Amino acid sequence: MRTLTIYHLGRMDYTAAWNWQRRIASQRSAGKIGDTLLLVEHPPTITLGSKAHPDHLLVPVEQLAMQGVTVVRCDRGGGV
């Protein structure tokens, strides 16, 4: 029988959750842990993927920050 470990992380900064996810994925790939599901909510966040350019944002980063929106460059594919 397979088991699934579920972590309910609540509301967490995108980068902090991303670090959790990478750590869990590394452990899972190494066979150190079983299947795992992370449940998390992020504050307003815009991610810039590997093909994104800052000029793809329609609003300056500084203005987004004043509105409580975080912009994070990440390693996923795609744009904004």
Side-chain angles (χ1 to χ4, degrees), residues 47-65:
T47 58
L48 300 176
S50 60
K51 296 179 181 153
H53 298 281
D55 60 329
H56 291 164
L57 293 172
L58 302 178
V59 177
V61 172
E62 299 79 18
Q63 186 176 346
L64 290 168

Side-chain angles (χ1 to χ4, degrees), residues 5 7 19-36 38:
T5 301
Y7 293 96
N19 289 334
W20 255 82
Q21 181 180 2
R22 287 186 291 198
R23 194 168 44 251
I24 294 291
S26 175
Q27 292 175 357
R28 181 66 180 106
S29 292
K32 294 180 180 178
I33 62 172
D35 294 338
T36 305
L38 303 179

Side-chain angles (χ1 to χ4, degrees), residues 14-15 18-19 21-22 45-53 71-80:
Y14 180 89
T15 304
W18 187 21
N19 289 334
Q21 181 180 2
R22 287 186 291 198
T45 304
I46 295 173
T47 58
L48 300 176
S50 60
K51 296 179 181 153
H53 298 281
V71 177
V72 177
R73 184 160 291 277
C74 63
D75 63 356
R76 68 170 176 78
V80 177

